[in-house]
Short mmCIF file of all heavy atoms in Angstrom, two decimals:
data_model
loop_
_atom_site.label_atom_id
_atom_site.label_comp_id
_atom_site.label_asym_id
_atom_site.label_seq_id
_atom_site.Cartn_x
_atom_site.Cartn_y
_atom_site.Cartn_z
N VAL M 979 16.06 -0.99 16.56
CA VAL M 979 16.98 0.12 16.28
C VAL M 979 17.03 1.03 17.50
O VAL M 979 16.05 1.20 18.23
CB VAL M 979 16.61 0.90 14.99
CG1 VAL M 979 16.51 -0.01 13.78
CG2 VAL M 979 15.37 1.70 15.15
N VAL M 980 18.22 1.59 17.72
CA VAL M 980 18.44 2.47 18.88
C VAL M 980 18.87 3.84 18.37
O VAL M 980 19.75 3.94 17.50
CB VAL M 980 19.53 1.90 19.81
CG1 VAL M 980 19.75 2.82 21.01
CG2 VAL M 980 19.18 0.49 20.27
N MET M 981 18.23 4.87 18.89
CA MET M 981 18.57 6.26 18.52
C MET M 981 18.54 7.12 19.77
O MET M 981 17.99 6.72 20.79
CB MET M 981 17.49 6.83 17.57
CG MET M 981 17.40 6.18 16.24
SD MET M 981 15.77 6.52 15.54
CE MET M 981 14.76 5.37 16.44
N TRP M 982 19.05 8.34 19.64
CA TRP M 982 18.89 9.32 20.71
C TRP M 982 17.47 9.86 20.64
O TRP M 982 16.93 10.06 19.54
CB TRP M 982 19.91 10.45 20.53
CG TRP M 982 21.30 9.91 20.44
CD1 TRP M 982 22.03 9.69 19.31
CD2 TRP M 982 22.13 9.47 21.52
NE1 TRP M 982 23.24 9.15 19.61
CE2 TRP M 982 23.35 9.01 20.97
CE3 TRP M 982 21.98 9.44 22.91
CZ2 TRP M 982 24.39 8.51 21.74
CZ3 TRP M 982 23.02 8.94 23.68
CH2 TRP M 982 24.21 8.48 23.10
N ALA M 983 16.85 10.10 21.79
CA ALA M 983 15.44 10.51 21.82
C ALA M 983 15.35 11.99 22.17
O ALA M 983 15.10 12.34 23.34
CB ALA M 983 14.67 9.66 22.82
N ASN M 984 15.56 12.85 21.19
CA ASN M 984 15.48 14.30 21.44
C ASN M 984 16.31 14.67 22.67
O ASN M 984 15.83 15.36 23.59
CB ASN M 984 14.03 14.73 21.63
CG ASN M 984 13.22 14.50 20.36
OD1 ASN M 984 13.66 14.84 19.27
ND2 ASN M 984 12.06 13.87 20.48
N ALA M 985 17.52 14.19 22.69
CA ALA M 985 18.44 14.41 23.81
C ALA M 985 19.86 14.27 23.25
O ALA M 985 20.04 13.67 22.19
CB ALA M 985 18.18 13.38 24.90
N PRO M 986 20.86 14.80 23.97
CA PRO M 986 22.19 14.85 23.37
C PRO M 986 22.83 13.49 23.08
O PRO M 986 22.71 12.56 23.86
CB PRO M 986 23.03 15.63 24.39
CG PRO M 986 22.21 15.76 25.59
CD PRO M 986 20.80 15.50 25.26
N SER M 987 23.49 13.44 21.92
CA SER M 987 24.29 12.27 21.54
C SER M 987 25.71 12.50 22.08
O SER M 987 25.97 13.49 22.78
CB SER M 987 24.30 12.12 20.03
OG SER M 987 24.87 13.28 19.45
N ILE M 988 26.62 11.61 21.73
CA ILE M 988 27.98 11.70 22.29
C ILE M 988 28.71 12.99 21.88
O ILE M 988 29.30 13.65 22.74
CB ILE M 988 28.76 10.42 21.95
CG1 ILE M 988 28.21 9.26 22.79
CG2 ILE M 988 30.27 10.59 22.22
CD1 ILE M 988 28.76 7.89 22.45
N PRO M 989 28.71 13.40 20.60
CA PRO M 989 29.50 14.60 20.25
C PRO M 989 29.11 15.86 21.03
O PRO M 989 30.00 16.52 21.58
CB PRO M 989 29.27 14.75 18.73
CG PRO M 989 29.02 13.33 18.28
CD PRO M 989 28.22 12.71 19.39
N PRO M 990 27.83 16.21 21.16
CA PRO M 990 27.53 17.41 21.97
C PRO M 990 27.87 17.23 23.45
O PRO M 990 28.21 18.21 24.14
CB PRO M 990 26.04 17.66 21.77
CG PRO M 990 25.51 16.51 21.03
CD PRO M 990 26.64 15.74 20.43
N ILE M 991 27.81 16.02 23.96
CA ILE M 991 28.20 15.79 25.37
C ILE M 991 29.69 16.07 25.52
O ILE M 991 30.12 16.76 26.46
CB ILE M 991 27.82 14.35 25.82
CG1 ILE M 991 26.30 14.24 25.98
CG2 ILE M 991 28.54 13.99 27.12
CD1 ILE M 991 25.78 12.85 26.27
N LEU M 992 30.49 15.58 24.56
CA LEU M 992 31.94 15.84 24.64
C LEU M 992 32.24 17.32 24.43
O LEU M 992 33.15 17.87 25.05
CB LEU M 992 32.69 14.97 23.64
CG LEU M 992 32.68 13.46 23.95
CD1 LEU M 992 33.52 12.70 22.93
CD2 LEU M 992 33.19 13.17 25.36
N ASP M 993 31.47 17.96 23.55
CA ASP M 993 31.66 19.41 23.37
C ASP M 993 31.49 20.15 24.68
O ASP M 993 32.21 21.10 24.97
CB ASP M 993 30.64 19.96 22.35
CG ASP M 993 31.09 19.76 20.92
OD1 ASP M 993 32.28 19.40 20.71
OD2 ASP M 993 30.27 19.94 20.01
N ARG M 994 30.51 19.71 25.48
CA ARG M 994 30.25 20.38 26.77
C ARG M 994 31.41 20.15 27.74
O ARG M 994 31.83 21.05 28.46
CB ARG M 994 28.93 19.84 27.35
CG ARG M 994 28.59 20.34 28.74
CD ARG M 994 28.26 21.83 28.75
NE ARG M 994 28.04 22.32 30.10
CZ ARG M 994 29.00 22.73 30.92
NH1 ARG M 994 30.26 22.73 30.51
NH2 ARG M 994 28.72 23.16 32.14
N ILE M 995 31.95 18.93 27.73
CA ILE M 995 33.02 18.60 28.68
C ILE M 995 34.34 19.28 28.29
O ILE M 995 35.16 19.60 29.14
CB ILE M 995 33.18 17.06 28.76
CG1 ILE M 995 31.94 16.48 29.43
CG2 ILE M 995 34.42 16.66 29.55
CD1 ILE M 995 31.81 15.00 29.31
N PHE M 996 34.50 19.52 26.97
CA PHE M 996 35.77 20.12 26.51
C PHE M 996 35.59 21.59 26.09
O PHE M 996 36.45 22.15 25.45
CB PHE M 996 36.36 19.28 25.37
CG PHE M 996 36.90 17.96 25.86
CD1 PHE M 996 36.09 16.84 25.93
CD2 PHE M 996 38.20 17.85 26.31
CE1 PHE M 996 36.57 15.63 26.42
CE2 PHE M 996 38.70 16.65 26.80
CZ PHE M 996 37.87 15.54 26.86
N GLU M 997 34.46 22.20 26.51
CA GLU M 997 34.21 23.59 26.20
C GLU M 997 35.33 24.46 26.77
O GLU M 997 35.66 24.36 27.96
CB GLU M 997 32.87 24.00 26.83
CG GLU M 997 32.24 25.18 26.17
CD GLU M 997 30.82 25.42 26.71
OE1 GLU M 997 30.25 24.51 27.33
OE2 GLU M 997 30.34 26.54 26.51
N GLY M 998 35.95 25.26 25.91
CA GLY M 998 37.04 26.12 26.37
C GLY M 998 38.37 25.40 26.50
O GLY M 998 39.38 26.00 26.87
N ALA M 999 38.38 24.09 26.21
CA ALA M 999 39.60 23.30 26.39
C ALA M 999 40.05 22.65 25.08
O ALA M 999 41.09 22.02 25.04
CB ALA M 999 39.36 22.21 27.43
N GLN M 1000 39.24 22.81 24.05
CA GLN M 1000 39.60 22.18 22.78
C GLN M 1000 39.65 23.22 21.66
O GLN M 1000 39.06 24.30 21.79
CB GLN M 1000 38.58 21.09 22.42
CG GLN M 1000 37.19 21.63 22.12
CD GLN M 1000 36.18 20.55 21.71
OE1 GLN M 1000 36.54 19.40 21.50
NE2 GLN M 1000 34.92 20.93 21.63
N ASP M 1001 40.33 22.88 20.61
CA ASP M 1001 40.33 23.71 19.42
C ASP M 1001 38.87 23.80 18.93
O ASP M 1001 38.25 22.76 18.69
CB ASP M 1001 41.21 23.02 18.36
CG ASP M 1001 41.35 23.86 17.10
OD1 ASP M 1001 40.46 24.68 16.84
OD2 ASP M 1001 42.34 23.67 16.40
#
Side-chain angles (χ1 to χ4, degrees):
V979 305
V980 180
M981 293 159 283
W982 305 99
N984 297 313
S987 61
I988 288 173
I991 288 173
L992 292 183
D993 277 349
R994 175 68 185 86
I995 292 167
F996 289 89
E997 203 172 343
Q1000 66 178 351
D1001 184 335

